[in-house]
Amino acid sequence: MASDDCKNLLYDQACLQVWADNAPNISLWMQTKECYKCDLLKKENISNNGVTNIRLNTIYSLWLDLTNDSSHNNCRTLHTFEEHGVYQWNISSNFNCSQIKQISTPQDLFMPFVYALLLIIPAFAVWFFINYLQRTYVVPSVFRFASKTDLDIENTAPSRDVQTFDGSDVELKNADFGTGSNEPVIIHPQIPTPVKNNSYRITSLDTFRGISIILMVFVNLGGGHYWFFEHAPWNGITLADFILPWFCWVMGVSIAISLRSQLRSSTKRKYVFGRVIRRSIALLIMGLVLNSVNNNNLRTFRPLGVLQRLALIYFIAATLETIFMKPQPYFTNTRLDVIRDIIESARQWFIVIILVAIHTVITFFLPVPGCPKGYLGPGGLYNSSSNTNCTGGAAGYIDRLVFGENHMYPGSPKPVYQSIPFDPEGILSTLTNTLLVYMGVHAGRIILCYQYTNERIKRWIAWTIVLGLIGGCLCNFSKEDGLIPINKNLFSLSYAFITGSSAFLIFIILFLIIEHWRLWGGSPFNEIGQNSIMLYLGHNIFYNTLPWRWQPVNETSHTEYLVMDCWATIFWCAIALVMHKKNIFIVV
């Protein structure tokens, strides 16, 4: 976008002044470094014997090329521009190009985080202060929130009624936990006798879910419009790309623990399966209704989405466990007991591996009209625009064939590669997402099969290392050069392994801190994680409404966007905390 001057630059914008001295017929061609193997596109004709001001996007480094349209001489450079910076590039009559000079100091990109911290730190302080007052009974009882324990005693409601986003319980009996000694990992105070159920939730798991849903809300709200809080355009990975896999992994752990609990209580498998179907249908319907909030036009309605994906992978994983899980841990009284978690889940893993094999065969061998076999690129400008309409290869082809191009997600990877629409929650990638969920199921099975913390931690560390190495080898530990690059849109195998490895690592840390060493109770993330469905639905339905969001007064920097998104996230967290204190939980 050209302009007569470079005043009133918006966020992620800089100004380039091109000075041409007796250099006619000059044009500027440009492309982002992020656009892999893309041709440069014409940006602007340069005025002779004058200055041409050009606004540039600062998110990615830019390839710039000044070209003489008649002599075909050119000057090419790769430069990283900073927000609100003003830069100068001179070209003379003999086509000598100077280095790009900075003539105005850019804005500090990370200064808005200071303002955000001024909002976040007091919010945490208020939360801990309120907790302190309630624990010390300084606040009169009439002003205190009813605690969960009080309500449990009054209503004799078992903790199993508190369910999660995926509809699964995450509770264990006392005997399911252990440390390296004969003492259990978790020791809760004895609740007075009116309570009939002495089970409780795994705090570290709720904490992990709480962290994931908070990050999900913040990123979905916009993340201050910072690029590193957005999904990678195609290959590669950002913080935002870890969040959904973490949530899916946590769901897998919940499935293992919940179903074992139901089977141990002698619940018939047909009733357990009925609950699985009911919860899957509920998530599916909620996802479809949520998609219709902003678009109820049947010609362009998007049937796919996050909740729909969660419904499908939950159904697959929970069905496998319902069919094959044993009510009691598997013991052989032989040396094979050290791998009893693997032996117990061998049939489930066999089916999951078959699903992954089907995904791989379809991805690399399905004929896609007009596209090379095994194509994994974004189409559009990628690879000199050689496969413009091949976005996503087989995965994109199947979705367009089933749903039609008008019913696809309109965003990724369109802005960078100018591709046709591609849906990141498509049909084919559900298979590799199931693999990730089953990594979580296995983490939960390790909790169920082994009594002591050191037994669990050693196996989780092994999974962390193995999954990370497999994922790294598949992508060749690089962004673009591997056999199967890391790709959130395709939910590639390398992406599933890398994000699964990271989920194991984070859970190890949380489990040790919260359950084993008891250095932290997980608050406030623990409480927030128990109302994740409310947070997800709420922030999507009320996305652009007061008091959560407003039209920014100052659109020239990230400051107001970041503060607004932090405020909205804190507000939703506060609602979840109040609901927890009131013992109100949204159940799927």
Side-chain angles (χ1 to χ4, degrees), residues 155-350:
N155 301 333
T156 64
S159 62
R160 184 174 301 164
D161 289 340
V162 182
Q163 296 166 322
T164 60
F165 197 147
D166 49 70
S168 304
D169 313 308
V170 287
E171 54 181 28
L172 278 181
K173 303 295 183 181
N174 242 356
D176 286 328
F177 278 91
T179 62
S181 66
N182 292 326
E183 296 296 324
V185 172
I186 301 176
I187 301 177
H188 287 274
Q190 291 295 319
I191 299 175
T193 52
V195 177
K196 299 178 182 179
N197 190 303
N198 64 348
S199 58
Y200 43 77
R201 303 172 69 89
I202 303 177
T203 306
S204 54
L205 192 63
D206 281 327
T207 301
F208 195 1
R209 183 188 293 105
I211 292 171
S212 300
I213 192 64
I214 289 171
L215 289 174
M216 187 182 293
V217 170
F218 176 70
V219 167
N220 288 350
L221 289 171
H225 288 197
Y226 282 98
W227 67 269
F228 41 80
F229 290 137
E230 297 178 359
H231 297 293
W234 196 248
N235 292 338
I237 195 164
T238 66
L239 173 63
D241 296 321
F242 282 98
I243 299 170
L244 181 60
W246 289 345
F247 202 91
C248 294
W249 189 92
V250 170
M251 182 173 71
V253 181
S254 302
I255 289 171
I257 296 172
S258 170
L259 294 185
R260 172 65 63 81
S261 175
Q262 294 178 60
L263 293 174
R264 286 177 63 177
S265 64
S266 300
T267 305
K268 291 184 178 180
R269 292 183 189 266
K270 64 179 181 180
Y271 296 130
V272 175
F273 184 61
R275 293 172 184 170
V276 169
I277 293 176
R278 177 180 62 81
R279 290 167 176 170
S280 301
I281 293 175
L283 284 171
L284 185 64
I285 292 175
M286 284 192 295
L288 293 172
V289 172
L290 194 61
N291 283 7
S292 70
V293 171
N294 295 318
N295 179 17
N296 59 3
N297 186 342
L298 295 180
R299 293 188 179 90
T300 58
F301 177 75
R302 181 189 176 215
L304 301 172
V306 171
L307 291 180
Q308 295 90 313
R309 166 65 61 84
L310 291 176
L312 290 174
I313 59 179
Y314 170 77
F315 177 78
I316 296 171
T319 298
L320 288 176
E321 289 302 300
T322 301
I323 295 172
F324 296 115
M325 176 179 273
K326 298 179 182 297
Q328 299 293 336
Y330 179 86
F331 292 98
T332 63
N333 295 320
T334 67
R335 293 181 179 179
L336 293 178
D337 275 347
V338 298
I339 56 169
R340 59 180 177 266
D341 56 311
I342 297 175
I343 295 174
E344 182 179 312
S345 59
R347 290 174 293 181
Q348 296 96 307
W349 273 115
F350 179 73

Side-chain angles (χ1 to χ4, degrees), residues 121-133:
I121 293 174
F124 271 99
V126 168
W127 164 248
F128 287 114
F129 182 66
I130 291 175
N131 267 353
Y132 171 77
L133 292 180

Side-chain angles (χ1 to χ4, degrees), residues 249 439 462-472 494 496-498 500-502 504:
W249 189 92
M439 295 175 192
W463 277 89
T464 301
I465 295 172
V466 170
L467 293 176
L469 288 175
I470 294 174
S494 58
F497 284 121
I498 292 294
S501 174
S502 68
F504 270 101

Side-chain angles (χ1 to χ4, degrees), residues 92-114:
S92 61
S93 56
N94 56 359
F95 217 82
N96 287 328
C97 300
S98 67
Q99 294 291 324
I100 296 178
K101 299 185 301 182
Q102 179 181 298
I103 61 175
S104 176
T105 304
Q107 190 174 73
D108 187 347
L109 184 65
F110 298 102
M111 187 62 191
F113 284 92
V114 175

Side-chain angles (χ1 to χ4, degrees), residues 421-438:
F422 177 86
D423 206 303
E425 279 78 47
I427 297 173
L428 190 59
S429 59
T430 302
L431 301 179
T432 42
N433 202 333
T434 301
L435 169 65
L436 178 67
V437 171
Y438 222 79

